Amino acid sequence: MTDPLFLCTFLWFAISAAVLYILRRREQRAIQAQVRQIGQLANETNELILFLDYSAPGFKEIDAFLLSDMPGRATVVFTAPEWLVAAKAKKWGRHCVVSASSLNASSSEVSPTRIVTDKYGKYRVFHEVPAFLKLMSRPKNEHQAQAMG
């Protein structure tokens, strides 16, 4: 006879896995819609999209990365007063700056400061923005030295 505890546990696992799959798929579709809308607003697509709120705790550090020689061009979706968006768009001239207020209201439901990377239509979300930018800004030979050592 089959153990009822095993069946209940297996059923709970299967239902949990299905719910997680549905939630992840819904999140991917929402990100995909945001990326499409940002691409239309910016008239360009970049592999790196930075959602940034000027009141975020790491804003000064993130601002410094955007002002430095960060490798590659990023799209910055900036949540701030319009005068600050305009000022930072001039300062961050290497990057494409889009005001978050021009996006659909549904995009404000998620964490205001995060990075979305787009690799061949697969989106990954990172919430530790300063750490991600620090890692990305390291020279390639430093990455290789750490991997070997």
Side-chain angles (χ1 to χ4, degrees), residues 29-92:
R29 285 185 181 149
I31 291 170
Q32 205 170 22
Q34 278 185 333
V35 169
R36 266 197 308 271
Q37 185 183 13
I38 292 164
Q40 290 171 347
L41 288 171
N43 288 330
E44 67 179 77
T45 48
N46 294 307
E47 271 187 25
L48 185 82
I49 300 172
L50 170 60
F51 290 83
L52 181 58
D53 189 326
Y54 80 104
S55 63
F59 176 74
K60 286 184 181 181
E61 190 176 0
I62 296 167
D63 181 36
F65 278 112
L66 291 170
L67 290 171
S68 70
D69 291 333
M70 195 173 97
R73 183 171 166 87
T75 301
V76 181
V77 180
F78 194 35
T79 303
E82 289 304 316
W83 64 268
L84 187 56
V85 172
K88 289 299 181 179
K90 288 179 184 175
K91 286 269 194 186
W92 301 330

Coordinates of all heavy atoms in Angstrom, one line a residue, residues 29-92:
R29 N 7.2 37.6 -18.5 CA 6.3 38.3 -19.4 C 6.3 39.8 -19.1 O 6.3 40.6 -20.0 CB 5.0 37.7 -19.5 CG 4.9 36.4 -20.3 CD 3.5 35.9 -20.4 NE 3.5 34.6 -21.1 CZ 2.6 33.7 -20.9 NH1 1.7 33.8 -20.0 NH2 2.7 32.5 -21.6
A30 N 6.1 40.1 -17.8 CA 6.1 41.5 -17.4 C 7.4 42.2 -17.7 O 7.4 43.3 -18.2 CB 5.8 41.5 -15.9
I31 N 8.5 41.5 -17.4 CA 9.8 42.1 -17.8 C 9.9 42.3 -19.3 O 10.4 43.4 -19.7 CB 11.0 41.2 -17.2 CG1 11.0 41.3 -15.7 CG2 12.3 41.7 -17.8 CD1 11.9 40.3 -15.1
Q32 N 9.5 41.4 -20.0 CA 9.6 41.5 -21.5 C 8.7 42.7 -22.0 O 9.2 43.4 -22.8 CB 9.0 40.2 -22.1 CG 9.5 39.8 -23.4 CD 9.1 38.4 -23.8 OE1 8.1 37.9 -23.3 NE2 9.8 37.8 -24.8
A33 N 7.6 42.9 -21.4 CA 6.7 44.0 -21.8 C 7.4 45.3 -21.4 O 7.4 46.3 -22.2 CB 5.3 43.9 -21.1
Q34 N 8.0 45.4 -20.2 CA 8.7 46.6 -19.8 C 9.9 46.9 -20.8 O 10.1 48.0 -21.2 CB 9.3 46.4 -18.4 CG 8.3 46.7 -17.3 CD 9.0 46.6 -16.0 OE1 10.0 46.0 -15.8 NE2 8.4 47.3 -15.0
V35 N 10.6 45.9 -21.1 CA 11.8 46.0 -22.0 C 11.4 46.5 -23.3 O 12.0 47.4 -23.9 CB 12.6 44.7 -22.1 CG1 13.7 44.8 -23.2 CG2 13.3 44.4 -20.7
R36 N 10.3 46.0 -23.9 CA 9.7 46.4 -25.2 C 9.3 47.9 -25.1 O 9.7 48.7 -26.0 CB 8.5 45.6 -25.6 CG 8.9 44.4 -26.5 CD 7.7 43.9 -27.2 NE 6.6 43.6 -26.3 CZ 6.4 42.4 -25.7 NH1 7.3 41.4 -25.9 NH2 5.4 42.2 -24.9
Q37 N 8.6 48.3 -24.0 CA 8.2 49.7 -23.9 C 9.4 50.6 -23.7 O 9.4 51.7 -24.3 CB 7.3 49.8 -22.7 CG 6.7 51.2 -22.6 CD 5.8 51.4 -21.3 OE1 5.8 50.6 -20.4 NE2 5.1 52.5 -21.3
I38 N 10.4 50.2 -22.9 CA 11.6 51.0 -22.8 C 12.3 51.2 -24.1 O 12.8 52.3 -24.4 CB 12.5 50.4 -21.7 CG1 11.8 50.6 -20.3 CG2 13.9 51.1 -21.7 CD1 12.4 49.7 -19.2
G39 N 12.4 50.1 -24.9 CA 13.0 50.2 -26.2 C 12.3 51.1 -27.1 O 13.0 51.9 -27.9
Q40 N 11.0 51.2 -27.0 CA 10.2 52.1 -27.9 C 10.4 53.6 -27.4 O 10.6 54.5 -28.2 CB 8.7 51.8 -27.8 CG 8.4 50.5 -28.5 CD 6.9 50.1 -28.3 OE1 6.3 50.6 -27.4 NE2 6.5 49.1 -29.1
L41 N 10.5 53.8 -26.1 CA 10.7 55.1 -25.6 C 12.1 55.6 -25.9 O 12.3 56.8 -26.2 CB 10.4 55.2 -24.1 CG 9.0 55.0 -23.6 CD1 8.9 54.9 -22.1 CD2 8.2 56.3 -24.0
A42 N 13.0 54.7 -25.8 CA 14.4 55.1 -25.9 C 14.9 55.0 -27.4 O 16.0 55.5 -27.7 CB 15.3 54.3 -25.0
N43 N 14.2 54.4 -28.2 CA 14.6 54.2 -29.6 C 15.9 53.4 -29.7 O 16.6 53.6 -30.6 CB 14.7 55.5 -30.4 CG 13.3 56.1 -30.7 OD1 12.3 55.4 -30.8 ND2 13.3 57.4 -30.8
E44 N 16.1 52.6 -28.7 CA 17.3 51.7 -28.7 C 17.1 50.6 -27.7 O 16.3 50.7 -26.8 CB 18.6 52.5 -28.4 CG 18.7 53.0 -27.0 CD 20.0 53.8 -26.8 OE1 20.1 54.9 -27.2 OE2 20.9 53.2 -26.1
T45 N 17.9 49.5 -27.9 CA 17.9 48.5 -26.9 C 19.3 48.2 -26.4 O 20.2 48.1 -27.2 CB 17.3 47.2 -27.5 OG1 17.9 46.9 -28.7 CG2 15.8 47.3 -27.6
N46 N 19.5 48.1 -25.1 CA 20.8 47.8 -24.5 C 20.6 46.5 -23.7 O 19.6 46.2 -23.2 CB 21.2 48.9 -23.6 CG 21.5 50.2 -24.4 OD1 22.3 50.2 -25.4 ND2 20.9 51.3 -24.0
E47 N 21.8 45.8 -23.6 CA 21.7 44.6 -22.8 C 21.5 44.8 -21.3 O 21.0 44.0 -20.6 CB 23.1 43.8 -22.9 CG 23.2 42.9 -24.0 CD 24.5 42.1 -24.0 OE1 25.1 41.9 -22.9 OE2 24.9 41.6 -25.1
L48 N 21.8 46.0 -20.9 CA 21.7 46.3 -19.4 C 20.7 47.5 -19.3 O 20.8 48.5 -19.8 CB 23.1 46.8 -18.9 CG 23.2 47.1 -17.4 CD1 23.3 45.7 -16.7 CD2 24.3 48.0 -17.1
I49 N 19.7 47.2 -18.4 CA 18.7 48.2 -18.1 C 18.7 48.4 -16.6 O 18.6 47.4 -15.8 CB 17.3 47.8 -18.5 CG1 17.2 47.6 -20.1 CG2 16.3 48.8 -18.1 CD1 15.9 47.0 -20.6
L50 N 19.0 49.6 -16.2 CA 19.1 50.0 -14.8 C 17.9 50.7 -14.4 O 17.6 51.8 -14.9 CB 20.4 50.8 -14.5 CG 20.6 51.4 -13.2 CD1 20.6 50.4 -12.1 CD2 21.9 52.2 -13.2
F51 N 17.1 50.2 -13.5 CA 16.0 50.9 -12.9 C 16.5 51.6 -11.6 O 17.0 50.9 -10.7 CB 14.8 49.9 -12.5 CG 14.2 49.4 -13.7 CD1 14.7 48.3 -14.4 CD2 13.0 49.9 -14.2 CE1 14.0 47.8 -15.5 CE2 12.3 49.4 -15.3 CZ 12.9 48.3 -16.0
L52 N 16.5 52.9 -11.6 CA 17.1 53.6 -10.5 C 16.2 54.7 -9.9 O 15.6 55.4 -10.6 CB 18.4 54.3 -11.0 CG 19.2 55.1 -10.1 CD1 19.7 54.3 -8.9 CD2 20.4 55.7 -10.8
D53 N 16.1 54.7 -8.6 CA 15.3 55.7 -7.8 C 16.3 56.6 -7.1 O 17.2 56.1 -6.4 CB 14.4 54.9 -6.8 CG 13.4 55.9 -6.2 OD1 13.8 57.1 -5.9 OD2 12.3 55.4 -5.9
Y54 N 16.1 57.9 -7.3 CA 17.1 58.8 -6.7 C 17.1 58.8 -5.2 O 18.1 59.2 -4.6 CB 16.8 60.2 -7.2 CG 15.7 61.0 -6.5 CD1 15.9 61.9 -5.6 CD2 14.4 60.7 -6.8 CE1 14.9 62.6 -4.9 CE2 13.3 61.3 -6.2 CZ 13.6 62.3 -5.2 OH 12.6 62.9 -4.6
S55 N 16.1 58.2 -4.6 CA 16.0 58.1 -3.1 C 16.6 56.8 -2.6 O 16.5 56.5 -1.4 CB 14.6 58.3 -2.6 OG 13.7 57.3 -3.1
A56 N 17.1 55.9 -3.5 CA 17.6 54.6 -3.1 C 18.8 54.8 -2.2 O 19.6 55.7 -2.5 CB 17.9 53.8 -4.3
P57 N 19.1 53.9 -1.3 CA 20.2 54.0 -0.4 C 21.6 54.1 -1.1 O 22.5 54.8 -0.8 CB 20.2 52.8 0.5 CG 18.8 52.3 0.4 CD 18.2 52.8 -0.9
G58 N 21.7 53.3 -2.2 CA 23.0 53.3 -2.9 C 23.1 54.2 -4.1 O 24.0 54.1 -5.0
F59 N 22.2 55.3 -4.1 CA 22.2 56.1 -5.3 C 23.5 56.8 -5.6 O 24.0 56.9 -6.7 CB 21.1 57.2 -5.1 CG 21.1 58.2 -6.3 CD1 20.6 57.8 -7.5 CD2 21.6 59.5 -6.1 CE1 20.6 58.7 -8.6 CE2 21.6 60.4 -7.2 CZ 21.1 60.0 -8.4
K60 N 24.2 57.3 -4.6 CA 25.5 58.0 -4.8 C 26.5 57.1 -5.4 O 27.2 57.5 -6.3 CB 26.0 58.6 -3.5 CG 25.2 59.9 -3.0 CD 25.9 60.5 -1.8 CE 25.1 61.7 -1.4 NZ 25.6 62.3 -0.2
E61 N 26.6 55.9 -4.9 CA 27.5 54.9 -5.5 C 27.2 54.6 -6.9 O 28.1 54.5 -7.8 CB 27.6 53.7 -4.6 CG 28.7 52.7 -4.9 CD 28.7 51.6 -3.9 OE1 27.9 51.5 -3.0 OE2 29.6 50.7 -4.1
I62 N 25.9 54.4 -7.2 CA 25.5 54.0 -8.5 C 25.7 55.2 -9.5 O 26.2 55.0 -10.6 CB 24.0 53.6 -8.5 CG1 23.8 52.4 -7.7 CG2 23.5 53.4 -10.0 CD1 22.3 52.0 -7.4
D63 N 25.5 56.4 -9.0 CA 25.7 57.6 -9.8 C 27.2 57.7 -10.2 O 27.6 58.0 -11.3 CB 25.3 58.9 -8.9 CG 25.5 60.2 -9.7 OD1 25.3 60.2 -10.9 OD2 25.9 61.2 -9.0
A64 N 28.1 57.4 -9.2 CA 29.5 57.4 -9.5 C 29.9 56.4 -10.6 O 30.7 56.7 -11.5 CB 30.3 57.1 -8.2
F65 N 29.3 55.2 -10.6 CA 29.6 54.2 -11.6 C 29.1 54.8 -13.0 O 29.7 54.6 -14.0 CB 28.9 52.9 -11.3 CG 29.6 52.0 -10.4 CD1 29.1 51.8 -9.1 CD2 30.8 51.5 -10.8 CE1 29.8 51.0 -8.3 CE2 31.5 50.7 -9.9 CZ 31.0 50.4 -8.6
L66 N 27.9 55.4 -13.0 CA 27.4 55.9 -14.3 C 28.2 57.1 -14.8 O 28.3 57.3 -16.0 CB 25.9 56.4 -14.1 CG 24.9 55.2 -13.9 CD1 23.6 55.8 -13.5 CD2 24.8 54.3 -15.1
L67 N 28.9 57.8 -13.9 CA 29.8 58.9 -14.4 C 31.1 58.4 -14.8 O 31.8 59.1 -15.6 CB 29.9 59.9 -13.2 CG 28.7 60.8 -12.9 CD1 28.9 61.5 -11.6 CD2 28.3 61.7 -14.1
S68 N 31.6 57.3 -14.3 CA 32.9 56.7 -14.6 C 32.9 56.0 -15.9 O 31.8 56.0 -16.6 CB 33.4 55.8 -13.5 OG 32.6 54.6 -13.5
D69 N 34.0 55.4 -16.3 CA 34.0 54.6 -17.5 C 33.5 53.2 -17.4 O 34.2 52.3 -17.5 CB 35.5 54.6 -18.0 CG 36.0 55.9 -18.4 OD1 35.2 56.8 -18.8 OD2 37.2 56.2 -18.3
M70 N 32.2 53.2 -17.1 CA 31.5 51.9 -17.0 C 31.5 51.3 -18.4 O 31.2 51.9 -19.4 CB 30.1 52.1 -16.6 CG 29.4 50.9 -16.1 SD 27.8 51.3 -15.3 CE 26.7 51.0 -16.7
P71 N 31.9 50.0 -18.5 CA 32.0 49.4 -19.9 C 30.6 49.2 -20.4 O 29.7 48.8 -19.7 CB 32.7 48.0 -19.6 CG 32.4 47.8 -18.2 CD 32.3 49.1 -17.5
G72 N 30.4 49.6 -21.7 CA 29.1 49.4 -22.3 C 28.1 50.5 -22.0 O 28.3 51.3 -21.1
R73 N 27.1 50.6 -22.9 CA 26.1 51.6 -22.7 C 24.9 50.9 -22.0 O 24.6 49.8 -22.3 CB 25.7 52.1 -24.1 CG 24.6 53.1 -24.1 CD 24.5 53.7 -25.6 NE 23.3 54.5 -25.8 CZ 23.2 55.8 -25.5 NH1 24.3 56.4 -25.1 NH2 22.1 56.4 -25.7
A74 N 24.3 51.6 -21.1 CA 23.1 51.1 -20.4 C 21.9 52.0 -20.6 O 22.1 53.2 -20.9 CB 23.4 51.0 -18.9
T75 N 20.8 51.5 -20.4 CA 19.5 52.3 -20.4 C 19.2 52.5 -19.0 O 19.1 51.5 -18.2 CB 18.4 51.6 -21.1 OG1 18.8 51.4 -22.5 CG2 17.1 52.4 -21.1
V76 N 19.0 53.7 -18.5 CA 18.7 54.0 -17.1 C 17.3 54.5 -17.1 O 16.9 55.5 -17.7 CB 19.6 55.1 -16.6 CG1 19.3 55.4 -15.1 CG2 21.1 54.7 -16.7
V77 N 16.4 53.8 -16.4 CA 15.0 54.2 -16.2 C 15.0 54.8 -14.8 O 15.1 54.2 -13.8 CB 14.1 52.9 -16.2 CG1 12.6 53.4 -16.0 CG2 14.2 52.2 -17.5
F78 N 15.0 56.1 -14.8 CA 15.2 56.9 -13.6 C 13.9 57.5 -13.0 O 13.1 58.2 -13.7 CB 16.1 58.1 -14.0 CG 16.8 58.8 -12.9 CD1 17.2 58.2 -11.7 CD2 17.0 60.2 -13.0 CE1 17.8 58.9 -10.7 CE2 17.6 60.9 -11.9 CZ 18.0 60.2 -10.8
T79 N 13.7 57.1 -11.7 CA 12.6 57.6 -10.9 C 13.1 58.8 -10.1 O 13.8 58.7 -9.2 CB 12.0 56.5 -10.0 OG1 11.7 55.4 -10.8 CG2 10.8 57.0 -9.2
A80 N 12.7 60.0 -10.6 CA 13.1 61.3 -9.9 C 12.2 62.4 -10.5 O 11.5 62.2 -11.5 CB 14.6 61.5 -10.2
P81 N 12.3 63.6 -9.8 CA 11.6 64.7 -10.4 C 12.2 65.0 -11.8 O 13.3 64.7 -12.1 CB 11.9 65.9 -9.5 CG 12.3 65.2 -8.2 CD 12.9 63.9 -8.6
E82 N 11.3 65.5 -12.7 CA 11.7 65.7 -14.1 C 13.0 66.6 -14.2 O 13.8 66.4 -15.1 CB 10.6 66.4 -14.9 CG 9.4 65.4 -15.2 CD 9.9 64.1 -15.8 OE1 10.6 64.1 -16.8 OE2 9.4 63.0 -15.4
W83 N 13.2 67.6 -13.4 CA 14.4 68.5 -13.5 C 15.6 67.7 -13.2 O 16.6 67.9 -13.8 CB 14.3 69.7 -12.5 CG 14.2 69.3 -11.1 CD1 13.1 69.1 -10.3 CD2 15.3 69.1 -10.2 NE1 13.4 68.8 -9.0 CE2 14.8 68.8 -8.9 CE3 16.7 69.2 -10.4 CZ2 15.6 68.5 -7.8 CZ3 17.5 68.9 -9.3 CH2 17.0 68.5 -8.0
L84 N 15.5 66.7 -12.2 CA 16.7 65.9 -11.9 C 16.9 64.8 -13.0 O 18.1 64.5 -13.4 CB 16.5 65.1 -10.6 CG 17.7 64.4 -10.0 CD1 18.9 65.2 -9.9 CD2 17.3 63.8 -8.7
V85 N 15.9 64.3 -13.6 CA 16.0 63.4 -14.8 C 16.8 64.1 -15.9 O 17.7 63.6 -16.5 CB 14.7 62.9 -15.3 CG1 14.8 62.1 -16.6 CG2 14.0 62.0 -14.2
A86 N 16.4 65.4 -16.2 CA 17.0 66.1 -17.3 C 18.5 66.4 -16.9 O 19.4 66.3 -17.8 CB 16.3 67.4 -17.5
A87 N 18.8 66.8 -15.7 CA 20.1 67.1 -15.3 C 21.0 65.8 -15.4 O 22.2 65.9 -15.9 CB 20.2 67.6 -13.9
K88 N 20.5 64.7 -14.9 CA 21.3 63.5 -14.9 C 21.5 62.9 -16.3 O 22.5 62.3 -16.6 CB 20.7 62.4 -14.0 CG 20.8 62.7 -12.5 CD 22.3 62.8 -12.1 CE 22.5 63.1 -10.6 NZ 23.9 63.2 -10.2
A89 N 20.5 63.2 -17.2 CA 20.6 62.7 -18.6 C 21.8 63.4 -19.2 O 22.5 62.8 -20.0 CB 19.3 63.0 -19.3
K90 N 22.0 64.7 -18.9 CA 23.2 65.4 -19.4 C 24.5 64.8 -18.8 O 25.5 64.6 -19.5 CB 23.1 66.9 -19.1 CG 22.0 67.6 -19.9 CD 22.0 69.0 -19.6 CE 20.8 69.7 -20.4 NZ 20.6 71.1 -20.0
K91 N 24.5 64.6 -17.5 CA 25.7 64.1 -16.8 C 26.0 62.7 -17.3 O 27.2 62.3 -17.4 CB 25.5 64.1 -15.3 CG 25.5 65.4 -14.6 CD 26.9 65.7 -14.2 CE 26.9 66.9 -13.3 NZ 28.2 67.2 -12.9
W92 N 25.0 61.8 -17.4 CA 25.2 60.4 -17.8 C 25.1 60.3 -19.3 O 24.5 59.4 -19.9 CB 24.2 59.5 -17.2 CG 24.1 59.5 -15.7 CD1 25.2 59.7 -14.8 CD2 23.0 59.3 -14.9 NE1 24.7 59.7 -13.5 CE2 23.4 59.4 -13.5 CE3 21.7 59.0 -15.1 CZ2 22.5 59.2 -12.5 CZ3 20.8 58.8 -14.1 CH2 21.2 58.9 -12.7

